[in-house]
């Protein structure tokens, strides 16, 4: 009988180990997300889902219930030095008033555009990725100290 008792313990111990590992991994994942949002909230401020369809002569309408900072970069055929990038703060329901004039000014030199938005007061910018400090992506950064918030 003592062999049966040992066999039962042996089967239970690996299961407890696996459950403990899963519980610790889940806690680290949840805690890391919570701690990240508390210490670096700008990394979680990207709100591209707030960028709506054009209407009534406005482009990139803010469809969210909060102010956003929208950035667009109109890319030029003639080269990067002729690209035009602008950032605008948009209230809910308001769209960009500068995109169409910028697009018209570029004329035939317009190639394409990049657009992204951050929840105010965070500013859209090219930011370093989490895993590679030499690689940049569209993201959000802390606002400058002298900006209105």
């Amino acid at each position: 009988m003592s062999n049966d008792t040992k066999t039962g313990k042996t089967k239970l111990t690996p299961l407890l180990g696996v459950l403990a590992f899963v519980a610790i991994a889940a806690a680290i994942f949840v805690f890391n997300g919570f701690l990240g949002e508390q210490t670096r909230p700008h990394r979680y401020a990207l709100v591209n889902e707030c960028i709506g369809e054009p209407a009534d002569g406005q482009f990139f309408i803010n469809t969210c219930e909060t102010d956003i900072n929208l950035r667009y970069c109109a890319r030029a055929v003639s080269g990067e030095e002729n690209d035009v990038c602008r950032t605008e703060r948009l209230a809910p329901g308001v769209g960009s008033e500068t995109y169409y004039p910028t697009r018209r000014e570029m004329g035939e030199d317009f190639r394409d555009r990049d657009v992204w938005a951050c929840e105010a007061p965070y500013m859209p910018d090219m930011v370093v990725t989490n895993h590679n400090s030499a690689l940049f992506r569209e993201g959000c950064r802390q606002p400058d100290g002298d900006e209105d918030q």
Side-chain angles (χ1 to χ4, degrees):
M1 279 273 175
S2 64
N3 283 343
D4 289 342
T5 306
K6 282 186 175 181
T7 306
K9 276 187 172 181
T10 306
K11 288 181 180 177
L12 187 58
T13 303
L15 180 61
L16 284 176
V18 169
L19 288 175
F21 175 78
V22 168
I24 290 170
I28 289 172
F29 180 76
V30 168
F31 183 70
N32 187 34
F34 173 76
L35 188 60
E37 274 193 67
Q38 300 306 309
T39 59
R40 295 175 293 172
H42 58 281
R43 294 224 181 226
Y44 299 87
L46 196 64
V47 288
N48 289 338
E49 65 275 7
C50 292
I51 303 170
E53 297 295 319
D56 300 326
Q58 293 183 333
F59 219 73
F60 311 127
I61 295 174
N62 177 4
T63 60
C64 288
E65 301 279 326
T66 183
D67 286 2
I68 64 171
N69 286 315
L70 175 96
R71 181 163 180 88
Y72 65 84
C73 290
R75 304 295 180 194
V77 174
S78 60
E80 194 173 305
E81 65 278 357
N82 294 322
D83 290 352
V84 177
C85 294
R86 293 205 167 94
T87 301
E88 294 179 71
R89 178 165 284 190
L90 302 178
V94 175
S96 171
E97 294 179 3
T98 64
Y99 178 72
Y100 280 139
T102 300
R103 176 81 166 74
R104 274 193 298 270
E105 286 173 18
M106 291 184 78
E108 296 295 318
D109 199 24
F110 178 80
R111 178 174 41 107
D112 62 5
R113 66 177 184 260
D114 298 322
V115 182
W116 68 103
C118 298
E119 188 173 349
Y122 305 107
M123 300 302 293
D125 206 348
M126 297 303 288
V127 298
V128 175
T129 64
N130 291 334
H131 306 293
N132 184 346
S133 62
L135 183 62
F136 287 82
R137 65 171 174 80
E138 297 168 349
C140 305
R141 64 171 171 78
Q142 293 283 358
D144 296 332
D146 57 341
E147 283 188 50
D148 293 332
Q149 291 190 18

